Amino acid sequence: MKIAIASGKGGTGKTTIAVNLALSLKDAQLFDCDVEEPNCNLFLGYDLEKVEDVNVPTPVIDKSKCDLCGKCSEFCQFNALAVLPEDVMIFPTLCHGCGGCSIVCPNEAISEVDRKVGVIEGSTNEDLVFYQGLLKIGEPMTSLVIKALQEHIDKNTTAIIDAPPGTACPVIASVKNVDYCILVTESTPFGFHDLKLALDVMRILGIPFGVVINQCDIGDNRVEEYCIEEEIPVLMKIPYDREIARLYSQGIPFVNEMPEWKDRFVRLFRDVTSLYEMRDRTEQ
Amino acid sequence: MKQLTIISGKGGTGKTTIAAAFASLAENAVIADCDVDAADMHLILDPQITETIDFYGLKEASIDDSLCIHCGLCKENCRFDAITDDIRIDSYECEGCGVCAHICPEGAITMVERKAGEAYLSETRFGPMADAKLGVGEEASGKLVAFVRENARDLADRYGKDMIIIDGPPGTGCSVIASIAGVDMVAVITEPSVSGIHDLERVLGVAGHFNIPAVVCINRHDINEENTRVIEDYCRKNGIDVVGKLPFSRIPTEAMIQERTVMEYSGNELSNEFSEKLKEIWGNIMRSLN
């Protein structure tokens, strides 16, 4: 079963839930899909090894064959090539790697070389199978790194996926094929507003979801009231706790220091599993 | 004209709260909310929208079934797995490159415009504002960010404003790059947690990569004073100004519930102290910027 942890708003506690849930289960896999800012391993402290580079094929021009006809730059939707009177300029970070330029070139002057946009790292020797993606600084191709990372999911075990914040393409790439999504929010107006955006994503993609309300006592009650009204399961409520905040700031998963929470995460997982199975039955 | 972008790397460190406070402190500025897939600034500034503009992102392939002969060439040449086995377009995967339309021997594929969101021009009690809403799951958030910034520049010209305050998105990817490209300075809001520090270093790397001067503000510094010192040391070593520190406080949330900026939410000693600190930070940023 694949479970994603997502949220519209950043900083609501996705990584906290993902790491503590994964550590509370036996034989889970954890994937940090927030490849722009992966934080899970700050809490795990595992020795990671490089698994693979993530590359985008990017054009190079053979100047002896190029007659500056301009068909490549005309075709490129991403403005990654500019044909000047005496030269062709390439802007690698704008290139999506579609290969169109080399197809349209009438002189076979364009070939492609790999441009590294990120790396996949992993650890398989620890209690937990853990993989993360890391987007190269200055690179915009987030979703590609996420897709490469997801190739490592073993479908036969429980996979916990820590998604990036927002509602745009990196979120879709992270949650598209999951069985269930846990949306983490906080009881503030920003948390409430962005939760509703995240719900829209889940509804459009048809992914069953429930909500975890983190810092459930810091603001107002609108999140919980809304969930009750909309019949959205509230899977867990975590009050603001200075001890949890302190452990978080030090990079310590709080289930390790507060073992009573382990049972609550196991229960959360059981609830998610049965909600998912219930939905499966109603669909059949 | 000066442009300042508020970023953080890590989400939830207080970007919008602080950017909204800056909006109320700035004397002659346009506000731009560039966190286009989860924009929250409007919840505080209550903008009156004067203009809504449809945003068209990248084009998308569309297959005419009556012309398609299922030869599979499009699928074979698509590098984004955006064409399914039964030769349909998967909207979420299509990047709009146009290779399929070019390769199709029957001319069955055309590239069509697709509305990917809306941009807004509005008036707030602190001056004009530009923001946007990206359609759910859309690509091209970077392009929409660029569009919001263009709108903000137009507003600045129209109303004779000499500054744009940009509330940026979390992360380090395409929308962050689009939010900081060509600005005069970025203010990075961080917190003294291991995640905050890790993400601060990465996002400062992005600013450095594009040669943009950066200053740092440490929010909730008293959550972990040891880590606060780590951040201060790191910034000193790298020649980056720490423009101020804010304590952990319930004031921002209380102000948010009342749809006010922290500067407008006052009345007790705590909130006054908090506002004073923000004023000082704003003063330091203005000095660095000029």
Side-chain angles (χ1 to χ4, degrees):
Chain A
M1 183 177 185
K2 284 192 269 188
I3 304 169
I5 320 293
S7 76
K9 180 169 161 25
T12 56
K14 284 180 295 301
T15 300
T16 300
I17 300 297
V19 169
N20 284 294
L21 174 60
L23 287 173
S24 301
L25 303 176
K26 286 191 186 84
D27 307 325
Q29 294 180 294
L30 179 62
F31 294 86
D32 195 339
C33 284
D34 188 358
V35 303
E36 295 181 23
E37 296 287 19
N39 287 159
C40 287
N41 200 43
L42 296 171
F43 296 86
L44 299 171
Y46 291 168
D47 287 328
L48 300 183
E49 274 173 27
K50 180 172 129 178
V51 178
E52 60 178 334
D53 285 331
V54 183
N55 298 310
V56 174
T58 305
V60 279
I61 313 277
D62 180 343
K63 285 183 182 158
S64 67
K65 290 184 184 165
C66 173
D67 63 2
L68 302 166
C69 71
K71 289 212 166 68
C72 54
S73 66
E74 200 180 294
F75 182 83
C76 180
Q77 295 293 314
F78 312 107
N79 304 315
L81 301 116
V83 179
L84 308 173
E86 285 177 3
D87 199 7
V88 182
M89 276 182 79
I90 296 173
F91 305 99
T93 53
L94 297 179
C95 175
H96 287 222
C98 72
C101 52
S102 65
I103 294 175
V104 299
C105 177
N107 303 315
E108 291 181 8
I110 302 182
S111 53
E112 292 172 286
V113 289
D114 278 343
R115 170 180 111 245
K116 185 177 163 184
V117 298
V119 61
I120 306 298
E121 300 169 331
S123 172
T124 44
N125 305 325
E126 311 276 353
D127 306 341
L128 197 63
V129 175
F130 173 70
Y131 286 90
Q132 71 171 22
L134 193 60
L135 180 70
K136 203 174 142 193
I137 291 294
E139 274 291 344
M141 303 295 280
T142 309
S143 299
L144 255 173
V145 180
I146 295 172
K147 282 177 195 164
L149 173 60
Q150 295 215 342
E151 294 292 315
H152 297 277
I153 295 176
D154 175 357
K155 291 182 182 71
N156 300 317
T157 62
T158 301
I160 310 289
I161 292 160
D162 189 12
T167 60
C169 45
V171 177
I172 305 293
S174 304
V175 306
K176 200 176 166 210
N177 297 311
V178 303
D179 301 305
Y180 195 91
C181 190
I182 298 172
L183 297 171
V184 186
T185 188
E186 59 182 34
S187 60
T188 65
F190 288 180
F192 180 48
H193 176 263
D194 297 351
L195 170 67
K196 285 189 286 184
L197 296 174
L199 293 180
D200 286 344
V201 177
M202 298 307 136
R203 285 175 176 143
I204 286 176
L205 294 175
I207 299 168
F209 56 86
V211 169
V212 168
I213 310 176
N214 195 10
Q215 306 194 49
C216 61
D217 50 355
I218 60 162
D220 52 20
N221 294 324
R222 279 193 281 174
V223 169
E224 194 168 4
E225 283 164 12
Y226 179 84
C227 288
I228 292 167
E229 226 169 83
E230 296 278 312
E231 297 180 13
I232 297 163
V234 175
L235 301 163
M236 184 185 264
K237 292 200 285 182
I238 307 173
Y240 177 76
D241 182 329
R242 197 121 186 151
E243 181 62 8
I244 292 180
R246 187 183 64 81
L247 291 168
Y248 175 81
S249 75
Q250 295 173 337
I252 300 168
F254 70 87
V255 292
N256 289 357
E257 301 284 319
M258 303 160 91
E260 66 276 15
W261 278 93
K262 227 170 210 175
D263 299 334
R264 295 192 55 182
F265 277 104
V266 170
R267 220 177 311 144
L268 168 75
F269 176 69
R270 226 180 288 142
D271 290 346
V272 164
T273 314
S274 55
L275 280 166
Y276 172 67
E277 281 166 0
M278 235 155 61
R279 176 190 138 109
D280 237 19
R281 269 201 299 277
T282 38
E283 274 184 358
Q284 285 157 10
Chain B
M1 186 174 46
K2 298 282 185 192
Q3 296 193 63
L4 169 75
T5 304
I6 321 295
I7 47 173
S8 64
K10 178 170 159 45
T13 60
K15 279 183 300 301
T16 304
T17 296
I18 291 171
F22 289 169
S24 74
L25 287 164
E27 273 157 25
N28 197 26
V30 173
I31 303 125
D33 189 347
C34 284
D35 189 0
V36 293
D37 58 319
D40 286 340
M41 185 69 104
H42 63 101
L43 298 173
I44 302 289
L45 300 189
D46 187 28
Q48 305 303 305
I49 295 172
T50 55
E51 208 178 317
T52 301
I53 311 163
D54 286 344
F55 167 72
Y56 292 89
L58 296 164
K59 288 182 182 171
E60 185 182 308
S62 166
I63 300 179
D64 183 341
D65 285 338
S66 68
L67 296 175
C68 174
I69 54 166
H70 286 80
C71 67
L73 265 177
C74 53
K75 184 177 162 56
E76 215 172 281
N77 281 278
C78 176
R79 298 224 177 130
F80 307 107
D81 294 328
I83 298 170
T84 59
D85 290 337
D86 55 347
I87 315 296
R88 306 237 164 243
I89 303 293
D90 180 339
S91 286
Y92 293 114
E93 302 296 339
C94 178
E95 306 228 346
C97 68
V99 165
C100 55
H102 175 81
I103 215 96
C104 177
E106 302 297 316
I109 305 180
T110 45
M111 301 304 292
V112 293
E113 294 273 4
R114 185 174 57 159
K115 186 178 162 183
E118 280 180 349
Y120 312 102
L121 307 185
S122 38
E123 280 295 330
T124 76
R125 58 191 183 280
F126 305 118
M129 168 163 155
D131 67 343
K133 191 174 179 193
L134 185 71
V136 166
E138 287 290 345
E139 300 265 344
S141 51
K143 233 178 158 177
L144 182 52
V145 166
F147 188 49
V148 170
R149 289 189 54 196
E150 208 180 293
N151 291 339
R153 274 191 296 273
D154 286 349
L155 286 170
D157 288 343
R158 200 186 301 169
Y159 295 101
K161 302 289 178 186
D162 54 17
M163 185 170 190
I164 300 174
I165 298 172
I166 300 162
D167 187 16
T172 65
C174 82
S175 50
V176 172
I177 292 169
S179 298
I180 68 172
V183 302
D184 298 282
M185 180 174 277
V186 296
V188 186
I189 315 300
T190 187
E191 61 173 35
S193 62
V194 287
S195 309
I197 295 171
H198 170 269
D199 295 358
L200 168 71
E201 289 180 16
R202 273 179 62 85
V203 84
L204 283 173
V206 178
H209 184 88
F210 293 101
N211 293 317
I212 301 165
V215 293
V216 167
C217 170
I218 307 170
N219 198 6
R220 306 177 196 126
H221 70 86
D222 48 349
I223 290 265
N224 189 324
E225 291 291 1
E226 205 182 315
N227 281 339
T228 294
R229 278 190 291 279
V230 171
I231 296 172
E232 288 172 317
D233 287 346
Y234 176 85
C235 289
R236 200 173 309 123
K237 266 183 214 139
N238 290 280
I240 294 161
D241 264 351
V242 176
V243 286
K245 296 189 279 185
L246 290 163
F248 174 81
S249 168
R250 292 184 182 254
I251 304 286
T253 306
E254 286 171 14
M256 191 196 296
I257 289 168
Q258 296 196 8
E259 298 175 19
R260 291 189 202 174
T261 66
V262 174
M263 308 310 295
E264 296 166 288
Y265 180 82
S266 58
N268 63 51
E269 227 169 273
L270 264 179
S271 61
N272 293 343
E273 200 186 310
F274 202 86
S275 305
E276 281 310 310
K277 288 227 163 71
L278 271 164
K279 256 187 224 166
E280 199 185 304
I281 291 168
W282 177 244
N284 289 340
I285 288 177
M286 289 310 281
R287 259 190 300 284
S288 299
L289 200 54
N290 293 313

